[in-house]
Amino acid sequence: APQNIVRYSFKEGTYKLIGFVDQLAVHFSQVGNLIPKDSDEGRRQRYRDNLVTGRPLDEPEAAEKAAEELMTPKQPKERKLTNKFNFSERASQTFNNPLRVGQPLPQPLDLTACIVHGREEAGPTASISPQSDDITKVTQAAKIVERMVNQNTYDDVAQDFKYYEDAADEYRDQEGTLLPLWKFQNDKAKRLAVTALCWNPKYNDLFAVGHGSYDFMKQSRGMLLLYSMKNPSFPEYIFSSESGIMCLDMHVDHPYLVVVGHYDGNVAIYNLKKPHSQPSFRSSAKSGKHTDPVWQVKWQKDDMDNNLNFFSVSSDGRIVSWTLVKSELVHTDVIKLKVEGSTTESLEGLQLHTVGCGTAFDFHKEIDYMFLVGTEEGKIYKCSKSYSSQFLDTYDAHNMAVDAVSWNPYHTKVFMSCSSDWTVKIWDHTIKTPMFIYDLNSAVGDVAWAPYSSTVFAAVTTNGKTHVFDLSINKYEAICNQPVVAKKKNKITHVQFNPIHPIIIVGDDRGHVTCLKLSPNLRKMPKEKKGQEVQKGPAVEIAKLDKLLNLVREVKTKI
Amino acid sequence: TNEWTNERPGGRPTPSAPRPHRSVGRGEAQAEVEETLKRIQTHKGVIGTMVVNAEGIPIRTTLDNSTTVQYAGLLHQLTMKARSTVRDIDPQNDLTFLRIRSKKHEIMVAPDKEYLLIVIQNPCE
C-alpha cells in the first residue's frame, strides 16, 4: 500500500498525513452459515430435520434423549488416551509471556506520544525476561518454606525446646543442667568474636548478635546479625560495618531500632524495617564520637520532645547522651569519669585529672536518674544524670576491669558486678562492701540476672563454662557448673536470658552462639507451705531476696 | 523514513542504557530470593524444589520434567481444594501452607497470591 496517503481532517481543517496504512485490503467478504454439528444450534437443527423427514428414532425416548442432549452438552465418558506421538501435555508447552499491564505499544502505533519528548518507556527494557520479575513475588513463600525445612531438620531440637524437662533433676539433689539446643553460626562472621547479645523485647524468638574483635592488635570489620529461633541456619538480617561492633541494644517501644557501638568510637542506629546494609543514623568525628571503643550503649525513655535517646559509655571516660533530633544525632556529655585522688598540678597551676575508662553501665529500673558505671580500674561509680561532676557514691569493687554491672530486675537495691579478676560480687547499693562474693577460677566475661526470679543469675567464664547460681537454694556455690563450648580454647564472652522461654544464649569468641535450655532445678519457685497459696509476682521475689540479705547483714554487723 | 523499525530519527531522546531507579531495588530483592531458594535446595534432606504459577505451569524446578509436571498438576489442584476448604469454613481465613507427610518423605507447599512454592524433603536422613 502507498505510504503517503493524505486525508482532510475536518476537525483541524487541514490535510493530514495518515501514518498507519492498513496493508490489508479486503475485496470480498460474506458471512457464512456453517455451524458445527455438536453445537446447540446444530443439534436443534438436526432434531428439526429429523422431525420433518419423519425418521422415527424411537419417538418418546429419542425425544427425551434428544431433549436431554440439547440441554446438556455431551460428557466424554472415558478418559482420553494420550498418544505419545501427537499429544502435547499442556504443562510442557513453551512458556507464553504473560501480558503485562503498562507495556508500551510498539513504536509505529505510538506516534502522537513520541512527539512529546520525555516519555521514557521504550523497546530495550522490554527485553528483560518476565520470569525474573516474577520470582520476587515468591519471597514470602520462600521464607516460610525455609523455616519449614529447618524445622524438619532440627525437629528433635524443636521438640526438646518445647517439651523436654530433665527428669533426672529430681534425683540430682539441687543441681541443674543446661541442655544444648541450637547452635547459630554464619560463615561471614566466622573469625569474629561475639561481642554483644540482645533479645528482642517484642518478638521472643528474635535476637541480635554483634560481632567484632576484642583483640587490640587484630582489628577488622564488624557484623550485626539477627537470628530467629525458627531458622537456625541463616540469619534473618545481616548488616556489616567497617569497624567491630562492641555493644548493642534494642529499643523497648520500637523493636525495629537497634543501636550499636563500634570499636572506633562511633555509634550507629540500624532500622530493621529498611534492611539496607547502611545504618540509618551514624555519629562521626564532627558530631562528637568517642575517641576510644564504645563498651556499652542503652536506650532510654524518649525525652520531652518525644525524641529517641540513648546513652553510651567508652574508655575515653565520657558518658554521652545521644538524642535523635530530626534525623541527626546530637550528643551531650553527661559525665566525665575522673579517677579520684589523681589530680596533679601542672606548670601553670592547672589541675589535671586522669581520665578513668568506663567499661560497663546499667540504669536503675525505677529511679530514672540513677545509674552505675564500672571502670577499668575496678571501681564502680553510682552516678546521677543530673550531676555531671560528682559521683553519688564509689565502690571499690574489683582488682581488675569491671566487665559488667547489672541491677536486679526485682529488688531495687541490689546489683551485681563481674570482673576479669575471677570474681562475681553482689552488692546492696547502700552498703560499701559486697554482700556475696563468688570466685569462679577464671576471668568472668559476663553475668546476667534471670528474669523470672530475683535470686537466680548466670555467669560465663573464659574457660568455656557457664555457672548458674540460685541464692535461695545455695548461697555459696553454683547449682550448675557446665562446660558449654566444644573446644577448650573457646572463651565465652556473653550470656543473656530469654525474657519468656527458659533458655539462655551464650556467645563465644569464635563467633558461635549456642542456645541452652535450663533444667527444672534451675527454675525453681519456692515451695508453698501446706494450706497457703503459691504467691506469684514481684513482691514475693523481693521478699525472698530481702530475707537472704538480712541474714548476711546480720552476720556482718555481728562481726 | 521507515516508521516500523526501532531506529530513532534525530529529535527523539534515546533512553539511557541502565535504568537505576527501578532495576536496583528489584535486583536486590531478586538476588535475595534467589539466594533463599538456593539455600533451601542445598539444605539437608531436600530432594527437590519447584515454583508453579497460578495455572499449574511450573516455572522453575530442580527435578526432571515429567516428575515436575506430575507434582505441579496434582499439588495445584490439592492446594486449590485446601484453600477453598479453609475459606469456606471462615471467609476471613486463608491458607498459609500445606504439609503432606508420607512414609518416604514430606511435601511442603507454600501458596502465594500468584505462585506456589513446593519443596520435597526427606526429614530423617
Side-chain angles (χ1 to χ4, degrees):
Chain A
Q3 297 281 3
N4 53 0
I5 294 185
V6 165
R7 291 263 144 85
Y8 186 77
S9 146
F10 287 92
K11 180 176 167 196
E12 295 171 12
T14 61
Y15 285 96
K16 275 187 63 188
L17 185 74
I18 295 183
F20 176 60
V21 178
D22 206 353
Q23 302 287 336
L24 180 72
V26 178
H27 294 288
F28 169 75
S29 73
Q30 185 199 0
V31 178
N33 52 8
L34 289 172
I35 48 177
K37 260 202 293 191
D38 289 338
S39 74
D40 283 357
E41 182 61 42
R43 263 186 257 117
R44 259 185 244 131
Q45 285 191 356
R46 261 198 306 173
Y47 179 61
R48 253 181 271 134
D49 286 346
N50 286 337
L51 280 180
V52 164
T53 55
R55 213 167 18 138
L57 289 166
D58 298 341
E59 287 284 329
E61 50 173 301
E64 273 178 47
K65 199 172 162 199
E68 218 184 288
E69 277 182 342
L70 287 176
M71 295 306 135
T72 60
K74 233 191 280 182
Q75 298 284 3
K77 288 285 163 67
E78 71 278 339
R79 242 180 106 240
K80 264 200 300 184
L81 293 174
T82 60
N83 183 344
K84 238 200 289 195
F85 299 104
N86 62 9
F87 176 75
S88 174
E89 177 85 35
R90 183 189 67 161
S92 64
Q93 285 171 0
T94 54
F95 184 80
N96 297 321
N97 295 339
L99 287 177
R100 284 169 63 179
V101 177
Q103 183 81 289
L105 295 171
Q107 291 253 318
L109 299 172
D110 227 337
L111 252 198
T112 51
C114 283
I115 293 173
V116 178
H117 297 292
R119 270 280 285 263
E120 291 217 278
E121 288 125 26
T125 53
S127 62
I128 297 173
S129 66
Q131 284 185 338
S132 51
D133 264 359
D134 303 333
I135 275 296
T136 53
K137 296 188 187 139
V138 194
T139 326
Q140 189 63 16
K143 203 169 183 182
I144 295 178
V145 167
E146 194 183 358
R147 287 187 178 183
M148 279 199 268
V149 165
N150 271 299
Q151 190 186 8
N152 278 337
T153 315
Y154 296 108
D155 186 43
D156 45 352
V157 175
Q159 303 280 347
D160 278 348
F161 157 69
K162 193 78 182 171
Y163 303 116
Y164 181 73
E165 303 291 354
D166 198 349
D169 263 10
E170 286 174 18
Y171 310 110
R172 235 197 291 258
D173 202 8
Q174 279 167 345
E175 294 177 351
T177 50
L178 297 166
L179 178 73
L181 295 174
W182 300 285
K183 200 162 182 196
F184 301 89
Q185 58 200 3
N186 189 301
D187 280 337
K188 289 189 199 143
K190 213 172 192 177
R191 260 171 268 107
L192 298 172
V194 170
T195 54
L197 291 172
C198 183
W199 286 98
N200 191 300
K202 185 164 179 203
Y203 300 104
N204 296 315
D205 60 294
L206 186 68
F207 62 91
V209 182
H211 288 274
S213 171
Y214 283 120
D215 199 336
F216 176 68
M217 299 304 290
K218 292 187 208 155
Q219 277 300 313
S220 67
R221 61 207 170 85
M223 295 206 69
L224 173 65
L225 303 174
L226 279 107
Y227 284 96
S228 162
M229 296 193 317
K230 297 178 190 167
N231 183 351
S233 43
F234 201 74
E236 302 288 308
Y237 301 95
I238 305 182
F239 301 96
S240 58
S241 65
E242 291 161 352
S243 165
I245 291 180
M246 303 314 287
C247 53
L248 62 92
D249 193 28
M250 292 200 186
H251 202 287
V252 174
D253 298 321
H254 308 280
Y256 50 89
L257 288 175
V258 180
V259 65
V260 146
H262 290 285
Y263 198 89
D264 61 359
N266 272 314
V267 291
I269 299 180
Y270 286 90
N271 186 338
L272 297 180
K273 282 192 185 171
K274 300 176 198 159
H276 307 300
S277 203
Q278 291 310 309
S280 316
F281 308 103
R282 210 161 181 253
S283 68
S284 62
K286 276 191 287 178
S287 68
K289 75 173 183 82
H290 290 279
T291 49
D292 265 344
V294 179
W295 291 105
Q296 201 149 1
V297 283
K298 251 207 168 81
W299 283 108
Q300 299 298 306
K301 292 198 196 71
D302 288 353
D303 67 358
M304 286 183 286
D305 299 321
N306 281 341
N307 290 324
L308 298 167
N309 178 16
F310 65 92
F311 273 58
S312 66
V313 66
S314 153
S315 300
D316 65 355
R318 286 160 57 214
I319 297 184
V320 177
S321 154
W322 302 81
T323 317
L324 199 65
V325 175
K326 285 189 199 161
S327 79
E328 255 189 33
L329 277 176
V330 174
H331 83 286
T332 330
D333 276 8
V334 172
I335 281 195
K336 269 209 172 56
L337 298 171
K338 285 181 276 269
V339 178
E340 288 177 21
S342 65
T343 59
T344 56
E345 298 251 340
S346 80
L347 295 170
E348 281 103 23
L350 285 172
Q351 288 196 318
L352 290 173
H353 300 282
T354 330
V355 167
C357 307
T359 51
F361 67 178
D362 195 18
F363 289 83
H364 198 275
K365 307 243 172 343
E366 280 163 31
I367 306 175
D368 207 22
Y369 56 82
M370 188 158 81
F371 63 97
L372 297 164
V373 182
T375 61
E376 250 178 53
E377 296 83 40
K379 291 203 195 337
I380 297 182
Y381 300 116
K382 186 166 69 176
C383 317
S384 158
K385 287 187 198 174
S386 0
Y387 294 109
S388 62
S389 49
Q390 262 196 337
F391 308 125
L392 294 176
D393 217 341
T394 314
Y395 308 91
D396 284 323
H398 291 277
N399 299 322
M400 286 180 71
V402 176
D403 281 331
V405 281
S406 177
W407 288 101
N408 187 303
Y410 293 99
H411 200 291
T412 50
K413 286 208 215 160
V414 173
F415 69 90
M416 166 168 69
S417 69
C418 78
S419 155
S420 318
D421 69 355
W422 297 9
T423 58
V424 173
K425 297 188 183 176
I426 300 187
W427 310 74
D428 179 328
H429 76 98
T430 50
I431 302 179
K432 292 265 192 165
T433 50
M435 299 278 111
F436 298 97
I437 305 180
Y438 299 98
D439 192 324
L440 297 177
N441 279 332
S442 179
V444 185
D446 196 10
V447 74
W449 290 104
Y452 50 83
S453 163
S454 62
T455 50
V456 176
F457 64 91
V460 284
T461 55
T462 49
N463 60 358
K465 281 191 176 180
T466 306
H467 309 258
V468 179
F469 291 79
D470 188 343
L471 298 173
S472 57
I473 294 180
N474 189 334
K475 281 205 293 279
Y476 305 108
E477 276 184 350
I479 51 175
C480 171
N481 195 328
Q482 186 171 325
V484 164
V485 282
K487 299 194 186 128
K488 287 270 172 162
K489 284 197 205 151
N490 232 336
K491 300 181 203 154
I492 310 185
T493 50
H494 282 278
V495 67
Q496 280 286 323
F497 278 85
N498 185 308
I500 310 269
H501 304 290
I503 53 180
I504 56 173
I505 38 171
V506 163
D508 65 16
D509 70 342
R510 290 281 167 87
H512 305 158
V513 176
T514 317
C515 180
L516 303 145
K517 184 166 184 184
L518 302 161
S519 70
N521 266 350
L522 301 173
R523 299 182 256 140
K524 256 206 188 133
M525 293 292 127
K527 280 206 192 72
E528 67 272 24
K529 300 201 179 92
K530 265 192 266 189
Q532 262 185 359
E533 332 177 326
V534 179
Q535 289 163 328
K536 297 239 153 103
V540 178
E541 301 289 339
I542 298 178
K544 207 169 52 162
L545 193 54
D546 255 341
K547 226 170 38 172
L548 285 168
L549 290 174
N550 284 334
L551 279 175
V552 184
R553 261 182 244 142
E554 275 172 21
V555 172
K556 280 196 186 294
T557 52
K558 273 187 208 150
I559 296 171
Chain B
T1 53
N2 189 353
E3 310 279 1
W4 299 95
T5 62
N6 272 341
E7 292 163 41
R8 294 163 204 294
R12 280 195 222 114
T14 54
S16 51
R19 286 182 185 254
H21 62 283
R22 261 173 58 191
S23 56
V24 164
R26 219 181 9 202
E28 261 181 45
Q30 201 184 312
E32 222 180 284
V33 175
E34 298 275 353
E35 213 194 296
T36 309
L37 288 176
K38 199 171 75 162
R39 278 205 306 275
I40 298 175
Q41 282 164 16
T42 48
H43 198 90
K44 192 173 89 155
V46 171
I47 300 174
T49 60
M50 61 190 88
V51 180
V52 175
N53 78 350
E55 295 158 15
I57 299 177
I59 297 176
R60 192 182 275 233
T61 174
T62 57
L63 302 167
D64 55 286
N65 197 23
S66 52
T67 321
T68 303
V69 159
Q70 198 180 22
Y71 268 104
L74 296 168
L75 285 170
H76 182 254
Q77 292 173 29
L78 185 63
T79 313
M80 292 297 123
K81 190 75 181 173
R83 186 184 254 156
S84 66
T85 309
V86 169
R87 293 203 114 151
D88 279 347
I89 294 174
D90 177 9
Q92 312 280 342
N93 210 350
D94 195 10
L95 182 68
T96 317
F97 58 79
L98 191 61
R99 269 175 129 152
I100 305 162
R101 198 166 213 159
S102 69
K103 276 194 216 157
K104 295 191 184 164
H105 42 241
E106 175 160 346
I107 305 171
M108 290 170 273
V109 180
D112 199 53
K113 269 182 302 235
E114 301 164 20
Y115 294 92
L116 223 62
L117 177 57
I118 302 170
V119 172
I120 305 150
Q121 188 191 21
N122 192 353
C124 29
E125 280 283 81

